[in-house]
Amino acid sequence: RTIVTEDELIREATAFLFRRAFDSEEAAEDAAREFVLFCRDRKWVFTDVGTNRAGSRLYAFTHRTFLEYFSAEYLAYRCDTPALLAEELATHLVNEDWAVVGELATQIKNSTSNDGADAIYARLLAQWHERQPEGNNVLPFLARSLRSLIPPPAPTIIHELTRIILDQITADRDDYQYPLAVLLQSCRHCAETTNMAIGAWADDIDSSKRSEEHTSELQSHHD
């Protein structure tokens, strides 16, 4: 949401602070009000954008980047495991939502979990297999996220992603040329692995074509 009321901000902040920092809900609410006032006077966080019909103050994030980053932090914090984060992201990515937030959350989870990117990519690729062709927005997301993942996913994961994208193109799916372009632009941290995956895929295609030609020649000779 772009705009929230002051009461909503205070209510959410109170719920977060109660029992985490204060035993009293009243004390948590007082601290929440103080926090909202603190943010209101600093335009780099919240911007006061007027009032609604009920007279409540309305706020928006001054910079969308803050909104996206804090949303990603919250998602990574709320989802206990990388696999749970992938489940949370899956539906939104299919509907072309949360592309930036999802990439940031994946980066955060990868840096705070052992093999976090591997688990996220494995689950989202499984989701893609289950939902295709409706899930083709997931592939460019996974390709684009490679640019911000250090360390990147395991080579086996990158090989699988690359092969899926290339296989869709050879299946005359024109809409899959975009994921390949994104992959090639985003694979700087794993360029060698991506190139090896493309080479292995090309070798398999070449071998398959030679096998088909050989089978066709044998069939012609038999006829």
Side-chain angles (χ1 to χ4, degrees), residues 126 162 205 217:
T162 304
I205 292 294
E217 290 176 0

Side-chain angles (χ1 to χ4, degrees), residues 5 7 10 17 30 35 39 46-47 49 67 87 93 112 132 140 149 176 178 187 190 201-202 223:
T5 67
D7 290 341
I10 293 172
L17 292 172
D30 289 342
F35 172 73
C39 291
F46 284 141
T47 299
V49 293
L67 176 61
E87 291 289 342
L93 294 176
T112 57
Q132 64 172 309
L149 292 175
Y176 280 92
Y178 173 62
C187 66
C190 53
W201 176 85
D223 292 341

Side-chain angles (χ1 to χ4, degrees), residues 35-75:
F35 172 73
V36 171
L37 179 62
F38 173 85
C39 291
R40 186 176 73 199
D41 292 337
R42 286 158 176 77
K43 297 302 184 183
W44 55 269
V45 182
F46 284 141
T47 299
D48 187 338
V49 293
T51 59
N52 62 12
R53 291 181 179 179
S56 296
R57 286 179 179 270
L58 298 174
Y59 293 92
F61 270 95
T62 305
H63 302 289
R64 184 172 180 83
T65 301
F66 280 113
L67 176 61
E68 292 169 338
Y69 179 77
F70 290 141
S71 297
E73 277 267 325
Y74 174 69
L75 281 173

Side-chain angles (χ1 to χ4, degrees), residues 8 10 111 137 177 208:
E8 288 175 307
I10 293 172
S111 66
N137 296 313
Q177 293 179 9
S208 177

Side-chain angles (χ1 to χ4, degrees), residues 134-184:
E134 293 83 4
N136 41 334
N137 296 313
V138 171
L139 296 181
F141 168 79
L142 293 174
R144 187 180 299 108
S145 294
L146 292 175
R147 66 187 177 181
S148 57
L149 292 175
I150 303 175
T156 54
I157 298 287
I158 296 173
H159 274 262
E160 181 183 1
L161 174 62
T162 304
R163 181 171 288 273
I164 288 173
I165 291 174
L166 292 171
D167 283 344
Q168 296 304 310
I169 293 176
T170 56
D172 294 326
R173 295 291 303 275
D174 293 337
D175 51 330
Y176 280 92
Q177 293 179 9
Y178 173 62
L180 178 59
V182 175
L183 175 66
L184 295 177

